[in-house]
Amino acid sequence: MTDWKSVEAADCAVPADRTMDDLVGELSLALADPDPLVRDGEPYAVLATWIDRGTIGTSRRLELGDEMAERFTDPRIEARTFAPLVLDMLVTAGDFKAGWVDAFERWYPAERDLRGHDDTLGWLHAVAHGADLLAAFGLHLEVAPARMLELAAARLTAPTDHVYDQLEDDRLARAIARVLTRTDLSEHDAVGWLDPIGDRFGADRVSTPVPAHLSNCLRTLRLLYVLADRGVRPRSELPAEPLHHRDAVKAAVAAVLDRIVRR
């Protein structure tokens, strides 16, 4: 097995005694490893660097993306939840296949294991990692932004007994806000994805204890309102970008929140 710690220490120089295909195959397996020190350690850093630098050839990157899309159906949660991280790297670097969007769309709202962290498996973060990919797809010109907004609504309305506990609501709200910066987004689509949320949660009075899925949704929408008001930063070092149809989005989010929590 490759000593990925040494590779990272050498500024991610490509080992001379292995083919790139073999190296990428090993990295792919490492990012599904049940050991968090392997999955979330040096192999992750090396793969991210190689994708960013264009070290891996285009055809092999596309094959890697196909592997990650297939991994959404893997029986192991750690394999499923690290697949969107790799796809996010690829899409951000300029790679894209429509089939990746389809696979992600099938997995994201259907995932039931929403643990942020596990003492044995380490970081899982299905909602947060999925949110990062949702933003990457939602900003891609070959993906209709309304499609990703509707997918976010499907994730927020999916039943669960797990209350987000590792800032998953923040990551999802920021992903939604980034999609809402698309200037080709119509006002109708910028607010229409909220209708199913209001319909799903607005019919009944809020009871206590508040159901987990409702708590998750409320917290996500509250942060989204703040981001609609203040803008969202693509990265921490960059200035905030305004949301397209900002006032309409604020009004629609406020109306849905009022509809859900009214007594």
Side-chain angles (χ1 to χ4, degrees):
M1 180 176 177
T2 304
D3 182 356
W4 294 110
K5 186 174 183 179
S6 296
V7 173
E8 184 187 28
D11 193 30
C12 298
V14 178
D17 59 342
R18 301 283 303 282
T19 68
M20 179 57 70
D21 190 63
D22 287 344
L23 291 166
V24 174
E26 189 175 320
L27 287 169
S28 176
L29 290 175
L31 267 74
D33 197 289
D35 185 344
L37 297 180
V38 174
R39 187 177 72 255
D40 207 13
E42 291 84 11
Y44 178 91
V46 171
L47 183 61
T49 300
W50 283 359
I51 291 174
D52 182 62
R53 291 177 179 174
T55 304
I56 306 170
T58 301
S59 62
R60 188 62 184 93
R61 292 199 308 270
L62 294 175
E63 290 175 2
L64 179 62
D66 291 340
E67 292 170 20
M68 295 303 113
E70 292 177 4
R71 199 165 283 176
F72 284 129
T73 61
D74 195 285
R76 296 171 299 132
I77 179 61
E78 68 275 10
R80 296 195 302 273
T81 60
F82 268 63
L85 288 183
V86 179
L87 283 171
D88 181 28
M89 297 176 196
L90 293 168
V91 174
T92 300
D95 299 311
F96 179 80
K97 278 190 175 184
W100 301 349
V101 187
D102 297 337
F104 175 60
E105 191 172 43
R106 289 190 293 269
W107 167 74
Y108 195 40
E111 179 59 61
R112 294 293 177 257
D113 190 339
L114 306 184
R115 291 173 294 165
H117 188 272
D118 178 79
D119 290 343
T120 301
L121 295 173
W123 289 106
L124 299 175
H125 253 341
V127 174
H129 292 171
D132 294 347
L133 182 56
L134 185 143
F137 280 144
L139 292 170
H140 197 283
L141 294 181
E142 293 187 49
V143 180
R147 183 180 179 185
M148 290 299 101
L149 295 173
E150 291 165 2
L151 184 59
R155 178 63 272 172
L156 286 171
T157 55
T160 180
D161 294 326
H162 179 80
V163 176
Y164 296 161
D165 59 357
Q166 296 293 337
L167 298 179
E168 287 91 353
D169 44 348
D170 291 61
R171 292 272 280 275
L172 184 51
R174 291 181 186 280
I176 295 169
R178 293 192 65 203
V179 177
L180 286 166
T181 64
R182 284 272 296 260
T183 56
D184 59 341
L185 187 66
S186 70
E187 182 173 324
H188 176 271
D189 288 341
V191 300
W193 65 279
L194 290 160
D195 291 340
I197 297 175
D199 293 342
R200 169 68 178 83
F201 295 130
D204 301 323
R205 293 163 62 91
V206 176
S207 60
T208 52
V210 177
H213 52 277
L214 179 54
S215 176
N216 297 338
C217 184
L218 289 171
R219 287 157 49 193
T220 302
L221 292 182
R222 286 167 182 156
L223 178 57
L224 179 60
Y225 185 92
V226 174
L227 294 172
D229 185 63
R230 304 295 297 272
V232 60
R233 295 177 183 272
R235 295 193 301 273
S236 59
E237 70 273 16
L238 296 177
E241 295 180 0
L243 275 60
H244 202 44
H245 307 296
R246 166 183 177 271
D247 292 340
V249 170
K250 285 178 62 179
V253 171
V256 169
L257 288 171
D258 181 64
R259 183 178 176 188
I260 293 173
V261 302
R262 71 180 187 276
R263 296 288 180 176

PDB file of all heavy atoms in Angstrom, residues 51 56 60-66 68 85-96 100:
ATOM      1  N   ILE A  51      -6.670  16.487  -7.813  1.00  0.00           N
ATOM      2  CA  ILE A  51      -7.802  16.946  -8.622  1.00  0.00           C
ATOM      3  C   ILE A  51      -7.679  18.441  -8.873  1.00  0.00           C
ATOM      4  O   ILE A  51      -7.858  18.919 -10.000  1.00  0.00           O
ATOM      5  CB  ILE A  51      -9.137  16.605  -7.930  1.00  0.00           C
ATOM      6  CG1 ILE A  51      -9.363  15.088  -7.943  1.00  0.00           C
ATOM      7  CG2 ILE A  51     -10.301  17.322  -8.616  1.00  0.00           C
ATOM      8  CD1 ILE A  51     -10.577  14.629  -7.159  1.00  0.00           C
ATOM      9  N   ILE A  56      -4.485  14.284 -12.247  1.00  0.00           N
ATOM     10  CA  ILE A  56      -5.181  13.096 -12.760  1.00  0.00           C
ATOM     11  C   ILE A  56      -5.805  13.453 -14.108  1.00  0.00           C
ATOM     12  O   ILE A  56      -6.448  14.498 -14.247  1.00  0.00           O
ATOM     13  CB  ILE A  56      -6.272  12.639 -11.778  1.00  0.00           C
ATOM     14  CG1 ILE A  56      -5.670  12.433 -10.378  1.00  0.00           C
ATOM     15  CG2 ILE A  56      -6.948  11.366 -12.268  1.00  0.00           C
ATOM     16  CD1 ILE A  56      -6.717  12.223  -9.294  1.00  0.00           C
ATOM     17  N   ARG A  60      -9.709   9.589 -16.378  1.00  0.00           N
ATOM     18  CA  ARG A  60      -9.667   8.898 -15.077  1.00  0.00           C
ATOM     19  C   ARG A  60     -10.493   9.657 -14.054  1.00  0.00           C
ATOM     20  O   ARG A  60     -11.113   9.038 -13.182  1.00  0.00           O
ATOM     21  CB  ARG A  60      -8.215   8.744 -14.588  1.00  0.00           C
ATOM     22  CG  ARG A  60      -8.110   7.859 -13.330  1.00  0.00           C
ATOM     23  CD  ARG A  60      -8.591   6.463 -13.620  1.00  0.00           C
ATOM     24  NE  ARG A  60      -8.597   5.591 -12.435  1.00  0.00           N
ATOM     25  CZ  ARG A  60      -9.648   5.401 -11.634  1.00  0.00           C
ATOM     26  NH1 ARG A  60     -10.779   6.056 -11.871  1.00  0.00           N
ATOM     27  NH2 ARG A  60      -9.574   4.577 -10.624  1.00  0.00           N
ATOM     28  N   ARG A  61     -10.537  10.971 -14.126  1.00  0.00           N
ATOM     29  CA  ARG A  61     -11.386  11.732 -13.208  1.00  0.00           C
ATOM     30  C   ARG A  61     -12.859  11.404 -13.445  1.00  0.00           C
ATOM     31  O   ARG A  61     -13.632  11.267 -12.499  1.00  0.00           O
ATOM     32  CB  ARG A  61     -11.152  13.237 -13.369  1.00  0.00           C
ATOM     33  CG  ARG A  61      -9.784  13.719 -12.921  1.00  0.00           C
ATOM     34  CD  ARG A  61      -9.765  15.224 -12.677  1.00  0.00           C
ATOM     35  NE  ARG A  61     -10.291  15.977 -13.806  1.00  0.00           N
ATOM     36  CZ  ARG A  61      -9.558  16.429 -14.821  1.00  0.00           C
ATOM     37  NH1 ARG A  61      -8.258  16.170 -14.864  1.00  0.00           N
ATOM     38  NH2 ARG A  61     -10.108  17.129 -15.800  1.00  0.00           N
ATOM     39  N   LEU A  62     -13.245  11.291 -14.692  1.00  0.00           N
ATOM     40  CA  LEU A  62     -14.633  10.951 -14.997  1.00  0.00           C
ATOM     41  C   LEU A  62     -14.977   9.548 -14.507  1.00  0.00           C
ATOM     42  O   LEU A  62     -16.083   9.305 -14.003  1.00  0.00           O
ATOM     43  CB  LEU A  62     -14.894  11.083 -16.488  1.00  0.00           C
ATOM     44  CG  LEU A  62     -14.812  12.506 -17.050  1.00  0.00           C
ATOM     45  CD1 LEU A  62     -14.977  12.489 -18.567  1.00  0.00           C
ATOM     46  CD2 LEU A  62     -15.867  13.417 -16.406  1.00  0.00           C
ATOM     47  N   GLU A  63     -14.034   8.624 -14.649  1.00  0.00           N
ATOM     48  CA  GLU A  63     -14.241   7.279 -14.126  1.00  0.00           C
ATOM     49  C   GLU A  63     -14.391   7.316 -12.601  1.00  0.00           C
ATOM     50  O   GLU A  63     -15.227   6.608 -12.027  1.00  0.00           O
ATOM     51  CB  GLU A  63     -13.073   6.373 -14.510  1.00  0.00           C
ATOM     52  CG  GLU A  63     -13.010   6.029 -15.980  1.00  0.00           C
ATOM     53  CD  GLU A  63     -11.766   5.228 -16.318  1.00  0.00           C
ATOM     54  OE1 GLU A  63     -10.988   4.914 -15.382  1.00  0.00           O
ATOM     55  OE2 GLU A  63     -11.551   4.929 -17.509  1.00  0.00           O
ATOM     56  N   LEU A  64     -13.582   8.147 -11.965  1.00  0.00           N
ATOM     57  CA  LEU A  64     -13.675   8.293 -10.511  1.00  0.00           C
ATOM     58  C   LEU A  64     -15.046   8.836 -10.122  1.00  0.00           C
ATOM     59  O   LEU A  64     -15.651   8.375  -9.145  1.00  0.00           O
ATOM     60  CB  LEU A  64     -12.569   9.224 -10.013  1.00  0.00           C
ATOM     61  CG  LEU A  64     -12.539   9.507  -8.507  1.00  0.00           C
ATOM     62  CD1 LEU A  64     -12.306   8.235  -7.712  1.00  0.00           C
ATOM     63  CD2 LEU A  64     -11.458  10.547  -8.190  1.00  0.00           C
ATOM     64  N   GLY A  65     -15.538   9.809 -10.868  1.00  0.00           N
ATOM     65  CA  GLY A  65     -16.866  10.337 -10.594  1.00  0.00           C
ATOM     66  C   GLY A  65     -17.935   9.274 -10.732  1.00  0.00           C
ATOM     67  O   GLY A  65     -18.876   9.211  -9.928  1.00  0.00           O
ATOM     68  N   ASP A  66     -17.796   8.415 -11.740  1.00  0.00           N
ATOM     69  CA  ASP A  66     -18.750   7.319 -11.912  1.00  0.00           C
ATOM     70  C   ASP A  66     -18.709   6.367 -10.713  1.00  0.00           C
ATOM     71  O   ASP A  66     -19.751   5.874 -10.249  1.00  0.00           O
ATOM     72  CB  ASP A  66     -18.453   6.544 -13.194  1.00  0.00           C
ATOM     73  CG  ASP A  66     -18.759   7.346 -14.457  1.00  0.00           C
ATOM     74  OD1 ASP A  66     -19.530   8.328 -14.370  1.00  0.00           O
ATOM     75  OD2 ASP A  66     -18.227   6.973 -15.523  1.00  0.00           O
ATOM     76  N   MET A  68     -17.934   7.165  -7.665  1.00  0.00           N
ATOM     77  CA  MET A  68     -18.585   7.827  -6.535  1.00  0.00           C
ATOM     78  C   MET A  68     -20.101   7.809  -6.691  1.00  0.00           C
ATOM     79  O   MET A  68     -20.838   7.632  -5.711  1.00  0.00           O
ATOM     80  CB  MET A  68     -18.084   9.263  -6.408  1.00  0.00           C
ATOM     81  CG  MET A  68     -16.622   9.397  -6.062  1.00  0.00           C
ATOM     82  SD  MET A  68     -16.149   8.543  -4.526  1.00  0.00           S
ATOM     83  CE  MET A  68     -15.094   7.244  -5.198  1.00  0.00           C
ATOM     84  N   LEU A  85     -18.276  14.176  -1.262  1.00  0.00           N
ATOM     85  CA  LEU A  85     -17.091  15.026  -1.119  1.00  0.00           C
ATOM     86  C   LEU A  85     -16.199  14.921  -2.353  1.00  0.00           C
ATOM     87  O   LEU A  85     -15.675  15.934  -2.844  1.00  0.00           O
ATOM     88  CB  LEU A  85     -16.304  14.621   0.129  1.00  0.00           C
ATOM     89  CG  LEU A  85     -16.917  14.966   1.483  1.00  0.00           C
ATOM     90  CD1 LEU A  85     -15.967  14.547   2.596  1.00  0.00           C
ATOM     91  CD2 LEU A  85     -17.220  16.456   1.585  1.00  0.00           C
ATOM     92  N   VAL A  86     -16.017  13.702  -2.856  1.00  0.00           N
ATOM     93  CA  VAL A  86     -15.172  13.522  -4.039  1.00  0.00           C
ATOM     94  C   VAL A  86     -15.851  14.132  -5.263  1.00  0.00           C
ATOM     95  O   VAL A  86     -15.211  14.818  -6.074  1.00  0.00           O
ATOM     96  CB  VAL A  86     -14.866  12.034  -4.264  1.00  0.00           C
ATOM     97  CG1 VAL A  86     -13.997  11.853  -5.504  1.00  0.00           C
ATOM     98  CG2 VAL A  86     -14.174  11.435  -3.044  1.00  0.00           C
ATOM     99  N   LEU A  87     -17.152  13.919  -5.409  1.00  0.00           N
ATOM    100  CA  LEU A  87     -17.867  14.518  -6.531  1.00  0.00           C
ATOM    101  C   LEU A  87     -17.812  16.036  -6.469  1.00  0.00           C
ATOM    102  O   LEU A  87     -17.703  16.708  -7.506  1.00  0.00           O
ATOM    103  CB  LEU A  87     -19.321  14.028  -6.546  1.00  0.00           C
ATOM    104  CG  LEU A  87     -19.530  12.611  -7.085  1.00  0.00           C
ATOM    105  CD1 LEU A  87     -20.958  12.157  -6.841  1.00  0.00           C
ATOM    106  CD2 LEU A  87     -19.187  12.533  -8.566  1.00  0.00           C
ATOM    107  N   ASP A  88     -17.866  16.596  -5.273  1.00  0.00           N
ATOM    108  CA  ASP A  88     -17.745  18.046  -5.119  1.00  0.00           C
ATOM    109  C   ASP A  88     -16.388  18.523  -5.628  1.00  0.00           C
ATOM    110  O   ASP A  88     -16.286  19.536  -6.330  1.00  0.00           O
ATOM    111  CB  ASP A  88     -17.947  18.423  -3.653  1.00  0.00           C
ATOM    112  CG  ASP A  88     -17.870  19.921  -3.410  1.00  0.00           C
ATOM    113  OD1 ASP A  88     -18.181  20.700  -4.337  1.00  0.00           O
ATOM    114  OD2 ASP A  88     -17.508  20.326  -2.293  1.00  0.00           O
ATOM    115  N   MET A  89     -15.326  17.789  -5.286  1.00  0.00           N
ATOM    116  CA  MET A  89     -13.998  18.134  -5.798  1.00  0.00           C
ATOM    117  C   MET A  89     -13.992  18.149  -7.321  1.00  0.00           C
ATOM    118  O   MET A  89     -13.463  19.080  -7.951  1.00  0.00           O
ATOM    119  CB  MET A  89     -12.959  17.107  -5.328  1.00  0.00           C
ATOM    120  CG  MET A  89     -12.707  16.981  -3.854  1.00  0.00           C
ATOM    121  SD  MET A  89     -11.522  15.612  -3.613  1.00  0.00           S
ATOM    122  CE  MET A  89     -11.716  15.290  -1.863  1.00  0.00           C
ATOM    123  N   LEU A  90     -14.573  17.110  -7.914  1.00  0.00           N
ATOM    124  CA  LEU A  90     -14.539  16.963  -9.373  1.00  0.00           C
ATOM    125  C   LEU A  90     -15.357  18.050 -10.065  1.00  0.00           C
ATOM    126  O   LEU A  90     -14.900  18.666 -11.031  1.00  0.00           O
ATOM    127  CB  LEU A  90     -15.069  15.579  -9.755  1.00  0.00           C
ATOM    128  CG  LEU A  90     -14.194  14.395  -9.329  1.00  0.00           C
ATOM    129  CD1 LEU A  90     -14.954  13.080  -9.491  1.00  0.00           C
ATOM    130  CD2 LEU A  90     -12.898  14.353 -10.142  1.00  0.00           C
ATOM    131  N   VAL A  91     -16.561  18.286  -9.570  1.00  0.00           N
ATOM    132  CA  VAL A  91     -17.421  19.283 -10.200  1.00  0.00           C
ATOM    133  C   VAL A  91     -16.810  20.674 -10.052  1.00  0.00           C
ATOM    134  O   VAL A  91     -16.824  21.481 -10.997  1.00  0.00           O
ATOM    135  CB  VAL A  91     -18.833  19.232  -9.590  1.00  0.00           C
ATOM    136  CG1 VAL A  91     -19.712  20.360 -10.129  1.00  0.00           C
ATOM    137  CG2 VAL A  91     -19.485  17.886  -9.899  1.00  0.00           C
ATOM    138  N   THR A  92     -16.261  20.961  -8.903  1.00  0.00           N
ATOM    139  CA  THR A  92     -15.616  22.260  -8.690  1.00  0.00           C
ATOM    140  C   THR A  92     -14.427  22.441  -9.624  1.00  0.00           C
ATOM    141  O   THR A  92     -14.142  23.565 -10.072  1.00  0.00           O
ATOM    142  CB  THR A  92     -15.158  22.382  -7.227  1.00  0.00           C
ATOM    143  OG1 THR A  92     -16.300  22.274  -6.362  1.00  0.00           O
ATOM    144  CG2 THR A  92     -14.483  23.722  -6.963  1.00  0.00           C
ATOM    145  N   ALA A  93     -13.745  21.341  -9.956  1.00  0.00           N
ATOM    146  CA  ALA A  93     -12.593  21.400 -10.865  1.00  0.00           C
ATOM    147  C   ALA A  93     -13.005  21.463 -12.333  1.00  0.00           C
ATOM    148  O   ALA A  93     -12.152  21.635 -13.201  1.00  0.00           O
ATOM    149  CB  ALA A  93     -11.689  20.198 -10.637  1.00  0.00           C
ATOM    150  N   GLY A  94     -14.303  21.298 -12.609  1.00  0.00           N
ATOM    151  CA  GLY A  94     -14.772  21.427 -13.983  1.00  0.00           C
ATOM    152  C   GLY A  94     -15.278  20.158 -14.627  1.00  0.00           C
ATOM    153  O   GLY A  94     -15.700  20.175 -15.790  1.00  0.00           O
ATOM    154  N   ASP A  95     -15.252  19.047 -13.898  1.00  0.00           N
ATOM    155  CA  ASP A  95     -15.758  17.784 -14.447  1.00  0.00           C
ATOM    156  C   ASP A  95     -17.257  17.678 -14.173  1.00  0.00           C
ATOM    157  O   ASP A  95     -17.752  18.146 -13.141  1.00  0.00           O
ATOM    158  CB  ASP A  95     -15.033  16.599 -13.810  1.00  0.00           C
ATOM    159  CG  ASP A  95     -13.535  16.631 -14.089  1.00  0.00           C
ATOM    160  OD1 ASP A  95     -13.162  16.797 -15.256  1.00  0.00           O
ATOM    161  OD2 ASP A  95     -12.753  16.516 -13.127  1.00  0.00           O
ATOM    162  N   PHE A  96     -17.955  17.017 -15.083  1.00  0.00           N
ATOM    163  CA  PHE A  96     -19.407  16.918 -14.899  1.00  0.00           C
ATOM    164  C   PHE A  96     -19.984  15.813 -15.777  1.00  0.00           C
ATOM    165  O   PHE A  96     -19.584  15.647 -16.922  1.00  0.00           O
ATOM    166  CB  PHE A  96     -20.085  18.240 -15.269  1.00  0.00           C
ATOM    167  CG  PHE A  96     -21.586  18.204 -15.132  1.00  0.00           C
ATOM    168  CD1 PHE A  96     -22.184  18.356 -13.905  1.00  0.00           C
ATOM    169  CD2 PHE A  96     -22.383  18.001 -16.257  1.00  0.00           C
ATOM    170  CE1 PHE A  96     -23.557  18.313 -13.778  1.00  0.00           C
ATOM    171  CE2 PHE A  96     -23.762  17.966 -16.150  1.00  0.00           C
ATOM    172  CZ  PHE A  96     -24.359  18.125 -14.896  1.00  0.00           C
ATOM    173  N   TRP A 100     -24.258  11.818 -12.669  1.00  0.00           N
ATOM    174  CA  TRP A 100     -23.881  12.061 -11.277  1.00  0.00           C
ATOM    175  C   TRP A 100     -24.999  12.792 -10.541  1.00  0.00           C
ATOM    176  O   TRP A 100     -25.275  12.504  -9.376  1.00  0.00           O
ATOM    177  CB  TRP A 100     -22.597  12.891 -11.209  1.00  0.00           C
ATOM    178  CG  TRP A 100     -21.405  12.291 -11.863  1.00  0.00           C
ATOM    179  CD1 TRP A 100     -21.264  11.006 -12.334  1.00  0.00           C
ATOM    180  CD2 TRP A 100     -20.167  12.948 -12.142  1.00  0.00           C
ATOM    181  NE1 TRP A 100     -20.019  10.824 -12.882  1.00  0.00           N
ATOM    182  CE2 TRP A 100     -19.319  11.990 -12.779  1.00  0.00           C
ATOM    183  CE3 TRP A 100     -19.683  14.229 -11.926  1.00  0.00           C
ATOM    184  CZ2 TRP A 100     -18.023  12.308 -13.187  1.00  0.00           C
ATOM    185  CZ3 TRP A 100     -18.396  14.554 -12.334  1.00  0.00           C
ATOM    186  CH2 TRP A 100     -17.568  13.599 -12.950  1.00  0.00           C
TER     187      TRP A 100
END
